[in-house]
Amino acid sequence: MSAEVTPIRTAAETALIERFKAAKGELPGDGEVAKRREEAFARIEAAGLPHRRVEEWKYTDLRGLMREAAPLAPLPSAAEAAGAIAAAEAFAAVDAVRLTFVNGHFLPGASSTGGLPAGVEIVPLAEALASGHALLREMGRVAVGKDNAALALNAAFMADGAVIRVADGVPVAQPLHLRFVNTGAAPFATSPRVLVAVGEGASVTLLETHEGTAGVAYQTNTVVEIFAGAGTNVSHVRLNAEGDGALALSTLAVSLGAEALFNTLGVVTGSAAARHQLFLAFEGEGSKVSIGGATMIGGRQHADTTLVVDHAVPGCESRELFKTVVDGEATGVFQGKIIVRPDAQKTDGRMMSAALLLSETGTMNNKPELEIFADDVQCAHGATCGALDEDLLFYLMARGLPRGEAEALLVQAFLGEAIELVAHEGVREALLGRTAAWLAARAA
Amino acid sequence: MLQINNLVVEIDGKRILNGLDLSVKAGEVAAIMGPNGSGKSTLSYVIAGKEDYEVLDGEIVLDGQNLLEMDPHERAAHGVFLAFQYPLEIPGVATMTFLKSVMNAQRKARGEEELTTPDFMRRVKKAAERLHIDQEMLKRALNVGFSGGEKKRMEILQMALLEPRFCILDETDSGLDIDALRVVAEGVNALRDPKRAFLVITHYQRLLNHIVPDSVHVMANGRIVRSGGKELALELEASGYAEYKEEAA
């Protein structure tokens, strides 16, 4: 005898199923792409949204956070898009090639793609999906992200984004700025995806900014996948300055060839709830990565950074430095895992997560993990969590700084250690400015 | 200039200062000597305004204002400077940024114009040269990786730039070799001024060979138990603190 098991679904899960049924015929791509959507959604349909009893999501209960499934965002009117773009200020002063995405839709007209540097090719993802672009085969290449719910949701609903290819040996001087702007008076959902293939020996700086309307419970689920070949040098900076009602899921998946350099810094100040995931796989020997984070949250914000670094091959180095400042009743989460596979001898991995609690009511969950299967490796991790040092504060106050300014100086210094990892001066200055603005708003 | 009357201070319920009286005139260098645990460092912290201490009685009046009613940063703007026994390392805070912030914070508190960058740079350069502080040191994070001598020189540099009217040197000689001590003492002596007073706290007489005091006060059991001229320091060096410890017991 067999009994039929009917899973109890939340309203959001039921709505997601309806939305997928209704949307899948309209979403770009058929054949392989459509099959991939079905497979990805089947996983969500079977397991539901991840919740606190799923270890990976223990501190970020997506089922609880996603009370409703917001409707998929249509392309906003030209006037609305123009207004939102004009209001976008993140990295506006940085000289860059700008690719603009409004509510997840790539707007070539609002992007400076006309003056693309030689050796850089950009195709809107909607077009790439419809035409079966060759790079689509690389999607989901980083194995450690395979069963991830946010990635699966994006794979099911992705509508637009971009495919970027940097040809072998090309040093791209100007940063490429992926500017995501979200606008609307009512809740909406976006699932953009950007695929970036960096050819052997090429170098490029990618900036990613996310801004949006305040007071609207919109949902974003962005995915950026970088496939960096041998000998590449890629820098990536991501800024979450989403509106204060946003639920922001994001994933950065990176595969690295041999002798490559990669660094990324994720800065979070925005959104009501955020989860940023990094999945990085070393595929060739002798590569080095630096992964950093600077999170500053207050009120009732929730910000999760989840990281898996997969040392699958020997002789690679990874450095992780995450700084989280928690004020008010906010909650910070850091989950960092370094995997060292049996063959990955001579791996050098060091991970540090430090949190500063500025209030009695803030929470920080730090979960560093090492999974080491090789014997000749150097790995270390550390996690700290504490208040500002009263002796340091007294030292600064005794020199004439009022308490608020002394606190601000120490918080700036704390976050600065991660922000200083950014090599691009204009970007670094802009991020330090964001930190100062956050501290000023806190003091006001 | 500074008048301390019947100062009674506890920390965690333990009495440290026990009805301390002290008077320092403008232009005076007053040395405070005494055995370990007599309350010398506590006195310096209480004047500067550290929160951990509970003041039960008394007053500390500097030029007509009771410091005990002021926050630490207000005391600094009013002219109090404490050169720390153990200057703190502040990773991530560039020394120059720190110097500019604190100088301008004090100026702002006194209703003065902020310094222009060239003016600030000129002042730092001049003061740094006198203390043998090179530009490399100024480029680093405040006190991070500095030797003991470098940290003390950085304290005196701050003192020179902030131009306080009442300077407290808390065991400034500790951890210094003789050359470093000489540089620090020269820096202090250069700042001696008829309008400025110093409270030099030290365990040993050695520092007072270089910074010659106008008065010497012996502290024991949280009070000043004896006062005299500079010759008192030499007498203490010869006889030690034994008799004062007994008095305290």
Side-chain angles (χ1 to χ4, degrees):
Chain A
M1 252 192 81
S2 68
E4 188 131 326
V5 179
T6 313
I8 300 167
R9 300 190 198 279
T10 65
E13 286 165 345
T14 305
L16 277 174
I17 293 169
E18 292 309 314
R19 291 214 193 290
F20 185 68
K21 268 188 200 151
K24 64 183 180 185
E26 308 294 319
L27 290 164
D30 43 26
E32 270 301 304
V33 173
K35 191 174 151 227
R36 185 188 281 267
R37 288 190 196 280
E38 292 285 357
E39 284 169 5
F41 195 75
R43 212 171 295 146
I44 299 293
E45 198 171 347
L49 291 169
H51 46 78
R52 70 181 83 236
R53 287 188 307 281
V54 177
E55 179 63 22
E56 231 189 303
W57 294 82
K58 183 175 175 180
Y59 301 107
T60 298
D61 181 356
L62 189 60
R63 191 155 74 179
L65 289 168
M66 198 187 277
R67 289 292 167 81
E68 285 165 45
L72 306 189
L75 185 67
S77 72
E80 192 182 357
I85 293 165
E89 53 190 21
F91 299 156
V94 175
D95 179 34
V97 173
R98 273 180 242 289
L99 310 183
T100 304
F101 306 84
V102 177
N103 291 4
H105 299 276
F106 183 32
L107 297 190
S111 303
S112 50
T113 48
L116 277 186
V120 178
E121 178 206 345
I122 295 174
V123 180
L125 185 75
E127 207 176 300
L129 289 169
S131 66
H133 195 285
L135 206 58
L136 297 180
R137 283 198 302 272
E138 300 294 328
M139 273 197 300
R141 174 170 174 152
V142 177
V144 285
K146 273 242 151 47
D147 294 319
N148 185 262
L151 272 173
L153 272 174
N154 178 284
F157 286 104
M158 63 185 167
D160 204 354
V163 172
I164 301 172
R165 272 205 287 209
V166 179
D168 288 358
V170 173
V172 183
Q174 256 184 319
L176 305 183
H177 180 183
L178 311 172
R179 179 167 58 163
F180 292 86
V181 182
N182 295 304
T183 178
F188 56 88
T190 76
S191 302
R193 186 178 289 230
V194 176
L195 308 178
V196 185
V198 185
E200 283 189 14
S203 61
V204 64
T205 295
L206 293 164
L207 309 175
E208 214 193 304
T209 60
H210 300 265
E211 296 168 278
T213 315
V216 180
Y218 63 90
Q219 299 168 352
T220 65
N221 182 9
T222 65
V223 173
V224 174
E225 293 185 74
I226 299 174
F227 317 107
T232 51
N233 186 349
V234 178
S235 293
H236 170 263
V237 176
R238 182 182 201 280
L239 172 66
N240 169 350
E242 298 277 19
D244 57 9
L247 168 60
L249 301 177
S250 57
T251 305
L252 173 67
V254 182
S255 59
L256 278 186
E259 305 285 336
L261 298 173
F262 176 77
N263 63 77
T264 177
L265 177 80
V267 176
V268 180
T269 63
S271 60
R275 170 160 165 130
H276 183 51
Q277 315 185 119
L278 292 112
F279 301 121
L280 184 139
F282 288 102
E283 296 179 351
E285 297 182 23
S287 293
K288 290 183 180 180
V289 307
S290 155
I291 302 173
T295 296
M296 50 208 104
I297 48 174
R300 308 194 63 143
Q301 280 179 288
H302 177 101
D304 173 334
T305 299
T306 291
L307 163 80
V308 183
V309 175
D310 189 358
H311 284 268
V313 295
C316 292
E317 180 187 294
S318 66
R319 292 284 178 274
E320 291 84 26
L321 178 64
F322 286 83
K323 297 286 186 112
T324 307
V325 177
V326 181
D327 198 11
E329 294 165 63
T331 303
V333 179
F334 173 77
Q335 304 189 102
K337 186 191 281 189
I338 300 178
I339 304 170
V340 182
R341 307 274 174 195
D343 291 340
Q345 302 295 2
K346 305 286 181 196
T347 287
D348 183 348
R350 272 151 226 264
M351 177 165 63
M352 180 68 199
S353 168
L356 196 52
L357 297 175
L358 298 182
S359 66
E360 298 281 331
T361 45
T363 304
M364 181 68 200
N365 300 297
N366 257 326
K367 195 176 82 175
E369 293 174 272
L370 295 175
E371 281 183 8
I372 303 175
F373 302 100
D375 52 14
D376 184 13
V377 301
Q378 283 196 44
C379 280
H381 69 69
T384 65
C385 189
L388 283 171
D389 185 323
E390 281 296 329
D391 288 335
L392 287 183
L393 281 171
F394 174 65
Y395 187 75
L396 295 173
M397 291 189 286
R399 292 292 175 263
L401 293 184
R403 190 176 182 96
E405 284 180 39
E407 286 185 0
L409 191 66
L410 293 179
V411 173
Q412 278 267 26
F414 175 79
L415 292 168
E417 225 190 315
I419 293 172
E420 297 291 339
L421 295 171
V422 175
H424 189 292
E425 192 181 349
V427 173
R428 195 173 61 233
E429 292 301 319
L431 291 173
L432 292 172
R434 291 251 153 198
T435 310
W438 185 82
L439 287 162
R442 172 180 180 260
Chain B
M1 174 175 254
L2 182 89
Q3 188 66 46
I4 300 177
N5 298 318
N6 189 37
L7 191 61
V8 180
V9 172
E10 283 187 3
I11 185 164
D12 300 332
K14 187 170 176 256
R15 179 119 352 155
I16 310 288
L17 299 184
N18 206 0
L20 181 136
D21 298 302
L22 180 69
S23 173
V24 183
K25 289 195 278 294
E28 184 178 342
V29 173
I32 299 236
M33 302 185 71
N36 291 327
S38 57
K40 302 191 298 294
S41 282
T42 295
L43 175 62
S44 68
Y45 283 140
V46 171
I47 297 172
K50 199 161 199 255
E51 275 175 11
D52 312 358
Y53 299 93
E54 196 183 348
V55 178
L56 299 178
D57 201 0
E59 57 178 5
I60 305 174
V61 180
L62 178 63
D63 286 337
Q65 289 198 41
N66 187 357
L67 296 180
L68 296 176
E69 290 162 5
M70 301 162 90
D71 283 337
H73 71 278
E74 294 167 335
R75 300 184 197 199
H78 185 56
V80 175
F81 182 93
L82 167 61
F84 281 63
Q85 182 178 2
Y86 303 107
L88 286 101
E89 298 188 6
I90 311 193
V93 176
T95 300
M96 292 298 268
T97 309
F98 164 80
L99 292 174
K100 199 167 182 191
S101 302
V102 298
M103 286 169 77
N104 281 331
Q106 290 203 13
R107 296 177 76 87
K108 203 170 134 196
R110 290 192 293 258
E112 297 164 14
E113 287 274 304
E114 290 199 356
L115 291 170
T116 62
T117 301
D119 191 13
F120 164 73
M121 298 298 285
R122 191 179 48 76
R123 287 173 189 232
V124 173
K125 191 164 178 281
K126 193 172 152 213
E129 272 169 14
R130 198 198 290 275
L131 288 157
H132 307 258
I133 291 172
D134 63 30
Q135 295 298 310
E136 260 325 291
M137 223 173 113
L138 293 170
K139 281 180 192 158
R140 288 188 262 164
L142 184 64
N143 291 331
V144 176
F146 286 20
S147 70
E150 286 174 333
K151 285 180 182 172
K152 295 295 170 78
R153 277 187 276 150
M154 187 54 70
E155 292 293 287
I156 306 305
L157 176 72
Q158 293 172 37
M159 193 165 92
L161 292 171
L162 292 168
E163 300 175 334
R165 72 177 95 185
F166 189 77
C167 310
I168 308 159
L169 306 179
D170 186 9
E171 308 258 0
T172 293
D173 51 332
S174 69
L176 294 189
D177 62 31
I178 190 68
D179 293 327
L181 181 64
R182 199 170 285 134
V183 172
V184 166
E186 278 168 13
V188 172
N189 288 330
L191 295 172
R192 290 179 82 150
D193 185 284
K195 292 192 197 118
R196 181 175 287 144
F198 290 82
L199 193 64
V200 180
I201 293 172
T202 182
H203 190 70
Y204 301 103
Q205 189 266 340
R206 186 180 71 153
L207 177 68
L208 304 179
N209 288 336
H210 300 275
I211 303 173
V212 180
D214 300 302
S215 59
V216 174
H217 307 271
V218 182
M219 196 164 164
N221 199 23
R223 276 179 300 148
I224 302 295
V225 293
R226 200 176 155 197
S227 297
K230 62 183 176 205
E231 64 288 344
L232 179 54
L234 293 167
E235 187 191 319
L236 286 167
E237 186 75 357
S239 64
Y241 293 116
E243 62 173 298
Y244 303 105
K245 280 184 191 160
E246 277 161 28
E247 236 174 64

